[in-house]
Amino acid sequence: MSLLFLIVIFTAIGGVLSVLAASVFLLLPKQQRTRVLPHGISFATGALLAVAFWGLIPHAFADVARSQMQALSAAIMFGLLGFFVLEKLLLWRHCHSGSCEAHVQSDHGHGHRSAGTLIILGDSIHNFVDGILIAAAFLTDVKLGIVTSLAVAAHEIPQEVGDFAILLQSGYSTAKALFFNMLASFTTVIGGVLAYYWLGNLQEQLPFFLALAASSFIYIAVADLIPTLHRKNDLKTSLQQIGLIAAGVILICAMHGIAHDIGLESGTPAVEIGH
């Protein structure tokens, strides 16, 4: 099985299939969607942090010389700051409700059409970068690529549900909201395929792409997802959140272990790099 084929399949899982999974929530009444979404956010938080700290960062540091470790740490730090700046510029937006400034409602009860356009643009850029990061993980280690794509899917599903709500609020029909979200999701595959050919010639830089991926996941979890979990602080909700975060961590760690046990390494004969 070629590495390019794996990248296409798992970038599709991280992007396109997450939109299809999220679209199921459109069939639910609004009240049920509102109730289910926070559970998905809790799970995604654990999954993202597990991939960053259990998979991406250890692999990145394992593949660089001791003299580059400080530079790699700096890449993680500047990655976090960079994503903050991008979000400030409204190019990186992960709102999970209609309360942020980009989604102010109009007098007629619908959000401004530009808010929907902004969400589509931001999603396209975000998904393209996700595809590059998934490919970078696969080029380092196949099992790392698998768990990275699963983590992307884990945070994409609740995010896409929130994006559907924003697009509908902005005046898009259900069909158009699904179409544009699906169109934006294909940039994940495009990013992965381009990175396969591009990053293959930059093996020494791969740890820094993994550091960028880690900073992306940490930023999303800490800056975007966790604050939404603090909106409810009662004991029952808090215990549910802790349990689902733990479930996300356990799943990613378990998948990492399973992939290791069955020998899914990028250097095994089963994988052929086609460049």
Side-chain angles (χ1 to χ4, degrees):
M1 184 180 296
S2 73
L3 190 57
L4 177 59
F5 178 76
L6 288 174
I7 289 173
V8 170
I9 292 298
F10 281 94
T11 51
I13 289 174
V16 178
L17 293 185
S18 65
V19 173
L20 292 176
S23 67
V24 174
F25 286 87
L26 294 176
L27 303 176
L28 299 175
K30 183 177 180 181
Q31 187 175 3
Q32 286 185 302
R33 291 202 303 263
T34 303
R35 189 164 57 247
V36 170
L37 181 58
H39 299 310
I41 293 173
S42 297
F43 181 84
T45 299
L48 289 172
L49 292 175
V51 167
F53 289 104
W54 188 267
L56 294 171
I57 292 176
H59 274 80
F61 277 99
D63 292 337
V64 297
R66 183 178 295 272
S67 61
Q68 290 184 299
M69 288 188 175
Q70 191 170 19
L72 197 60
S73 295
I76 297 173
M77 179 184 70
F78 284 115
L80 290 169
L81 295 175
F83 291 124
F84 170 77
V85 172
L86 285 174
E87 191 165 39
K88 280 293 186 181
L89 294 173
L90 302 181
L91 292 176
W92 198 281
R93 179 63 65 178
H94 292 283
C95 290
H96 299 280
S97 69
S99 60
C100 62
E101 291 181 5
H103 307 137
V104 177
Q105 290 186 347
S106 69
D107 296 335
H108 301 290
H110 292 286
H112 295 295
R113 194 79 176 188
S114 59
T117 303
L118 177 64
I119 287 297
I120 295 167
L121 175 61
D123 247 3
S124 298
I125 296 171
H126 164 211
N127 292 336
F128 181 80
V129 173
D130 274 349
I132 294 174
L133 301 180
I134 291 172
F138 267 105
L139 288 168
T140 302
D141 185 299
V142 173
K143 68 177 183 291
L144 182 62
I146 292 172
V147 296
T148 299
S149 64
L150 291 176
V152 168
H155 93 271
E156 282 292 337
I157 292 173
Q159 179 196 317
E160 294 295 349
V161 173
D163 287 350
F164 276 129
I166 293 164
L167 291 174
L168 293 175
Q169 191 179 52
S170 298
Y172 287 77
S173 66
T174 301
K176 284 189 175 181
L178 179 59
F179 172 77
F180 283 112
N181 252 12
M182 184 67 69
L183 194 63
S185 72
F186 275 107
T187 60
T188 308
V189 180
I190 295 171
V193 171
L194 291 178
Y196 170 78
Y197 292 103
W198 175 45
L199 293 178
N201 299 320
L202 299 172
Q203 291 293 329
E204 292 184 1
Q205 282 69 46
L206 279 178
F208 292 92
F209 282 95
L210 297 182
L212 178 64
S215 62
S216 169
F217 287 0
I218 294 168
Y219 183 83
I220 292 168
V222 174
D224 288 333
L225 301 187
I226 289 179
T228 68
L229 301 181
H230 287 314
R231 292 175 183 173
K232 290 186 177 181
N233 295 311
D234 60 279
L235 180 60
K236 180 181 177 181
T237 300
S238 298
L239 290 176
Q240 288 176 339
Q241 291 171 349
I242 293 170
L244 287 166
I245 290 172
V249 171
I250 291 169
L251 175 64
I252 292 301
C253 293
M255 290 300 298
H256 199 280
I258 291 170
H260 181 271
D261 290 341
I262 63 178
L264 287 175
E265 301 284 347
S266 58
T268 58
V271 177
E272 301 172 359
I273 299 179
H275 37 273

